[in-house]
Amino acid sequence: MTTATTGPAADRTAAKAGKPKPATMAQALQRAMRDAMAEDPTVHVMGEDVGTLGGVFRVTDGLAKEFGEDRCTDTPLAEAGILGAAVGMAMYGLRPVVEMQFDAFAYPAFEQLISHVAKMRNRTRGAMPMPIVIRVPYGGGIGGVEHHSDSSEAYYTATPGLHVVTPATVEDAYGLLRAAIASDDPVVFLEPKRLYWSKSDWSPEAPTPVEPIGKAVVRRRGTGATLITYGPSVPVCLEAAEAAQAEGWDLEVVDLRSLVPFDDETVCASVRRTGRAVVVHESAGFGGPGAEIAARVTERCFHHLEAPVLRVAGFDIPYPPPMLERHHLPGVDRVLDAVARLQWEAGS
Amino acid sequence: MDSLQQRSSTVQEPPGAVPAYRPTPPPAWQPRTDPAPLLPETEPLRVLGTDAVADADPALLLRLYAELVRGRRYNTQATALTKQGRLAVYPSTTGQEASEIAAALALEDRDWLFPSYRDTLAAVARGLDPVQALTLLRGDWHTGYDPREHRIAPLCTPLATQLPHAVGLAHAARLKGDDVVALAMVGDGGTSEGDFHEALNFAAVWQAPVVFLVQNNGFAISVPLAKQTAAPSLAHKAVGYGMPGRLVDGNDAVAVHQVLTEAVARARRGGGPTLVEAITYRIDAHTNADDATRYRAAGEVETWRAHDPILILERELTERGLLDEDGKRAAAEAAETMAADLRERMNADPVLDPMDLFSHVYAEQTAQLREQAAQLRAELEAEGEA
């Protein structure tokens, strides 16, 4: 994401002009944990390499130094053990924030996640909530080798009892993580790896207002069609919408931010305005979130639709090797092709 | 070695070149602990029938006896309730009441119990209402009690997955400065699960105040111990984690109580976790749905009946003059009263509110769940009107 306007040179220019240095998503996430830990002594960060190293993506940088190793703990290398221990800690009144180092490394913890984290409130009839945040760096586009680029959101969204959220902007990274830590329910917090180094003028001095999770946001207003997307695909859709402008297509972009709970209201209001919709995400299309979203939109907006709801998703393949990932990941062209398939001009 | 030196001496190094690579020995490695004190006893610890029993507190012996008799009656009553269709399933602990109960009684009120699905007796020994302990198996709500009120985690049906919870809770308690100990129970089969390994490793690294109790009852449903592990004993597994392993006769209530009390005290004073293996036997089948005659011989069961935990404790109490026929009758009557109460309350049809399906999924219902709740409410109203 280093460009002429956001690179180190630009930082120096900004600093000279007295402007705040642009913050990265990784820094905003770190700040969210830091602020939560400072406000609430029951918040504990734990995972592999989160302490001394500050996380392999440096998202937990400095937390162990500031709050001590009891509050930011390097655990043994065992995902089920980490999440299982977090369950016991939550039972005793702590609020663990767990880091799963990479998407595909979270799979050994699925038993704990599905059988205990997601169900504990339900099986104890509300007596034992699980205020745990499971931070999962997810998705491709960073040239990661096998098992480092999965988009695993469908597994999480299929599990009742979990909230599933994913930020696409630096501001949301802070706001959503604060909200996730404050939530009395477990939240799977999906961090788009390739946006860790994206920047904005967000400043920790003027933190984002924290609102409860579950609200989608319209990132770009448009009248012709709605692109429904989230996480790493949001910048792709915004870029596609800009490119579409040249074709005379005026696209609206909805950033879901939260997959569970799902904001039917914002999504359907948009689709009713535009009459056309494309769902865009990286994970496999078959049984993916797009299938659910397309079905929901069709059920609720059928009479407003001028065209079937289309999906632009990753192929139904295991995540490809880095040299081929650009063919797999939905890019601007593939989004624009789908928009074209919405039969833009009636009768064409 | 000589030939190597000879060969290298023949190589002419040009002046100023980097000296040839010479392997150096690895940095000195020291074992961090002497495994010997961590190793379990060669023979399981027994107190009943040995000279050591003289030290046992008579009040404790009598209390254990009354609890064991009550526990046995609970097992037979619950098994009968499955035949009457009042319980979906009941995993009996007949034959292993001593390890269940004596272990639970080693805990203080402030401590926590993490039971598996078979450990209803441990929960009841801790004071849980016998009916509340059965809601899971009855098909009523999954956990019939508030875990925080009783400091008993929900009865856990996936194997060994409650062990990391015990570690996390004990760790959290220690961070908060509370001298709370967690007792985590698992069967012999559960020791093969990955969560068993991860829990023991975390506990040892964190020096968490946890006691792991493996109740080795010989079979994981139908699979005997020999097909479960090649370890000399399950207690031996402790050594690899850096915690002591203890081996105890699980049918000897006094020995179990003694070993668990020591392990709990050790954890409470900051000494870290202990792995205890209690060797016992499940006299009944795995559950009422199981046919144990397919995988074990009648003779084997009879051998264990002779080592029945109630029988060997009763013999001790009788020999010491602590128990006579009146005492036995009193214990049996108390157990019968419990069983009658359990029977009566379990025979009442529980009334469940279907709308509760949506009440405890999230702290606040999502819009989607509100919609689905409205759908169910409409269906219920239509049923009511029909």
Side-chain angles (χ1 to χ4, degrees), chain B residues 32-368:
Chain B
R32 292 205 291 178
T33 52
D34 174 6
L38 305 177
L39 280 165
E41 303 77 1
T42 320
E43 286 291 315
L45 179 78
R46 279 173 51 228
V47 174
L48 289 172
T50 72
D51 294 341
V53 78
D55 297 333
D57 173 16
L60 174 69
L61 294 176
L62 284 168
R63 171 148 194 233
L64 286 171
Y65 177 76
E67 291 282 354
L68 258 53
V69 170
R70 202 166 73 107
R72 174 67 50 88
R73 188 66 188 90
Y74 189 94
N75 275 324
T76 56
Q77 184 58 62
T79 302
L81 286 165
T82 61
K83 291 176 184 150
Q84 294 153 15
R86 285 293 176 184
L87 280 180
V89 67
Y90 181 71
S92 168
T93 42
T94 291
Q96 51 184 99
E97 291 93 345
S99 59
E100 284 280 318
I101 291 165
L105 293 183
L107 295 176
E108 303 284 343
D109 281 350
R110 62 185 178 286
D111 297 332
W112 274 73
L113 175 72
F114 286 79
S116 81
Y117 61 91
R118 197 181 292 282
D119 301 320
T120 41
L121 282 194
V124 171
R126 233 174 121 60
L128 186 65
D129 178 346
V131 171
Q132 287 185 336
L134 288 176
T135 52
L136 169 79
L137 304 165
R138 176 192 221 178
D140 189 344
W141 271 93
H142 305 305
T143 305
Y145 53 92
D146 178 346
R148 283 210 180 89
E149 185 190 340
H150 299 276
R151 292 174 201 83
I152 302 171
L155 296 165
C156 188
T157 50
L159 294 187
T161 56
Q162 78 280 19
L163 307 185
H165 306 170
V167 178
L169 181 132
H171 177 63
R174 205 171 62 137
L175 290 178
K176 283 193 174 184
D178 300 342
D179 67 341
V180 165
V181 176
L183 168 60
M185 293 185 160
V186 67
D188 40 304
T191 64
S192 298
E193 294 279 2
D195 274 355
F196 173 83
H197 157 66
E198 296 191 20
L200 267 69
N201 191 46
F202 269 66
V205 170
W206 285 353
Q207 286 292 286
V210 191
V211 179
F212 300 98
L213 174 67
V214 181
Q215 292 186 72
N216 173 6
N217 67 13
F219 293 88
I221 302 189
S222 67
V223 178
L225 188 70
K227 288 186 182 173
Q228 199 68 242
T229 180
S233 82
L234 296 172
H236 273 78
K237 290 178 183 252
V239 184
Y241 300 104
M243 72 173 80
R246 301 294 313 271
L247 204 52
V248 62
D249 180 345
N251 283 18
D252 181 335
V254 187
V256 172
H257 191 265
Q258 184 183 313
V259 169
L260 264 293
T261 302
E262 282 166 12
V264 167
R266 183 172 174 276
R268 206 185 304 285
R269 66 172 181 263
T274 305
L275 172 65
V276 181
E277 176 185 359
I279 297 171
T280 182
Y281 195 80
R282 186 189 77 211
I283 295 290
D284 289 341
H286 166 63
T287 68
N288 49 306
D290 171 36
D291 176 8
T293 62
R294 291 174 76 109
Y295 53 86
R296 62 186 191 185
E300 180 182 305
V301 182
E302 289 316 308
T303 311
W304 277 94
R305 277 191 203 281
H307 193 58
D308 184 294
I310 299 178
L311 198 69
I312 59 176
L313 182 58
E314 196 174 274
R315 198 174 294 148
E316 176 64 37
L317 287 165
T318 310
E319 277 176 20
R320 284 172 70 165
L322 293 168
L323 187 71
D324 56 13
E325 288 307 312
D326 285 347
K328 283 191 214 170
R329 201 177 308 116
E333 279 169 7
E336 205 51 52
T337 305
M338 180 278 302
D341 176 62
L342 180 60
R343 203 162 50 232
E344 190 186 323
R345 289 162 66 206
M346 290 297 289
N347 278 329
D349 291 315
V351 181
L352 305 185
D353 180 359
M355 296 314 294
D356 269 0
L357 288 174
F358 302 100
S359 302
H360 306 295
V361 184
Y362 297 101
E364 203 178 312
Q365 273 181 15
T366 60
Q368 289 75 33

